Amino acid sequence: MKKKSLALILCCSLFFSFLGACGANIGSGMGDHATEPATEEEKLTVVGFSQVGAESDWRSANTESMKSVFTAYNGYELIFDDAQQKQTNQIMAIRNFIQQEVDYIVLAPVTETGWDTVLQEAHDAGIPVIIVDRMVDVSDSRLFECWVGSNFELEARKMCEWLRWFCVKHNILAEDVYIADIQGTIGASAQIGRTEGLQKAAREYGWNIVATVEGEFTRAKGYEATQQLLLKYPKMNVVYCENDNEAFGAIEAIRDAGKQVGSDIKNGEIMVLSFDGVKPEALQDVLDDSISCIAECNPLHGPRVEAIIRKLQNGETPQKYEYVDEDVFSAYEEIENVIVDSKEYPITLVTPELIERRRAEYDTGSYVEELPDNVY
Ligand code: AHR
């Protein structure tokens, strides 16, 4: 009798601990935004993230997006390294991650070239590398698992289509368009794609490109470059900034020079075009006609990278190249969409409500935490 009840107690406790284990697995699937935090006994997945720097609002939002996802609560230990825009720092960081035997390396590369050696070292150490945002140009694509980021040339082509239609609707001849391109960091995918997109469109439509200068994606460089361009090229009537921070600097420089920022280039205003559309201030500039059009560049890659890591942990193969969907922002109702390579892209009308929504998202931090629709 005694033996029988002991066996029963043992069976029950085994059964309940089995149920408990199942529950724990379901509730704390690695980083699946579970309601239960990772328990202390669970081994955290160590992720080394080499970030370019903090040159722009886009970059800060991108860093926050990564940090908000790779938390101990979600089962991760994040080793974050800010490379201050230097590739040598990024290479050093990756070597440190290898030494620390991290589980995954995430790299947001400052430029495309120069990665073969260090990525080979990571590969030899058996550490999977995920590339995010800009691309790497390596001789063997097996050196990284996959890439997720923006189609920078498409962003530029959408922007140029918008400009073309704006000119058509306002009877502005192509030969009267004088554009200065303030580029991003030279050799970065975002710079390469945006510069190429503009140059192709200028050739096709007959616009004049008066200057192409480096702006490093910063406000200070955007200001400095525009100040000099205004002195050198009095005919310049469009400043094509390769990100919002450069645009903020350009707007300030134009105003400081006693000129008007705006879309009415027929009457002496200087049009500013830009990329990113991250901060509510940038969208407010669109509403105020200080920036005529912004092609969005989406920085919310944290959940996307985490989804990739989960796939790898489950033994699945993530898509090698994953482009994210992006908007175009303008306050001109007359252009509802643009067509690039036979595909139609809607233009999102900037309204006070849209800006308020973005401001609220910013204030509550939900902008960086939001799981984008196209997380696969
Ligand atoms: O690579 C993305 C670009 O880098 C963003 O457009 C820019 O703001 C950032 O610094």
Side-chain angles (χ1 to χ4, degrees), residues 24 27-31 34-45 71-76:
S28 63
M30 193 56 74
T35 43
E36 292 295 312
T39 60
E40 267 183 42
E41 305 85 63
E42 274 182 278
K43 188 189 163 295
L44 298 180
T45 300
T71 59
Y73 187 89
N74 284 341
Y76 296 96

Side-chain angles (χ1 to χ4, degrees), residues 55-59 133-134 152 155 188 190 194 216-217 242-245 275-276 297:
E55 75 283 4
S56 62
D57 298 327
W58 187 99
R59 190 64 54 195
D133 170 26
R134 303 171 185 173
F152 300 109
E155 290 172 359
R194 290 169 189 166
E216 291 174 8
F217 290 126
E242 292 192 5
N243 83 341
D244 283 343
N245 294 82
F275 295 84
D276 288 353
C297 183

Side-chain angles (χ1 to χ4, degrees), residues 62-238:
N62 178 248
T63 296
E64 279 312 305
S65 173
M66 298 290 281
K67 285 185 175 172
S68 73
V69 165
F70 292 104
T71 59
Y73 187 89
N74 284 341
Y76 296 96
E77 182 191 336
L78 179 69
I79 308 177
F80 177 82
D81 187 273
D82 176 340
Q84 300 183 358
Q85 307 259 42
K86 292 195 177 71
Q87 189 179 39
T88 46
N89 289 345
Q90 293 205 286
I91 292 173
M92 216 147 63
I94 294 172
R95 292 199 168 124
N96 283 336
F97 297 154
I98 296 171
Q99 267 189 357
Q100 291 172 76
E101 298 181 353
V102 300
D103 297 308
Y104 295 91
I105 292 174
V106 181
L107 168 65
V110 61
T111 50
E112 290 192 352
T113 56
W115 300 104
D116 287 81
T117 309
V118 76
L119 292 192
Q120 185 66 56
E121 290 168 26
H123 190 72
D124 294 345
I127 302 173
V129 175
I130 297 153
I131 310 293
V132 66
D133 170 26
R134 303 171 185 173
M135 291 224 185
V136 290
D137 180 5
V138 284
S139 52
D140 183 351
S141 66
R142 284 170 305 181
L143 294 183
F144 63 94
E145 295 297 319
C146 58
W147 166 89
V148 61
S150 307
N151 186 333
F152 300 109
E153 190 170 334
L154 177 62
E155 290 172 359
R157 293 182 67 197
K158 290 190 282 188
M159 163 74 76
C160 290
E161 274 307 296
W162 182 90
L163 177 61
R164 181 168 83 92
W165 278 108
F166 183 87
C167 291
V168 169
K169 303 237 175 212
H170 292 257
N171 299 315
I172 300 164
L173 299 175
E175 68 214 49
D176 294 332
V177 176
Y178 293 90
I179 307 173
D181 177 8
I182 304 187
Q183 298 173 291
T185 305
I186 303 302
S189 309
Q191 174 273 312
I192 296 170
R194 290 169 189 166
T195 301
E196 274 179 15
L198 172 66
Q199 287 186 350
K200 279 185 196 157
R203 275 197 302 274
E204 198 177 332
Y205 303 135
W207 298 329
N208 305 286
I209 297 194
V210 293
T212 302
V213 296
E214 195 178 340
E216 291 174 8
F217 290 126
T218 66
R219 184 186 185 121
K221 283 278 174 187
Y223 182 92
E224 199 183 295
T226 309
Q227 209 177 31
Q228 288 163 12
L229 289 165
L230 286 166
L231 296 173
K232 259 183 151 172
Y233 306 102
K235 277 188 168 176
M236 172 181 83
N237 50 17
V238 178

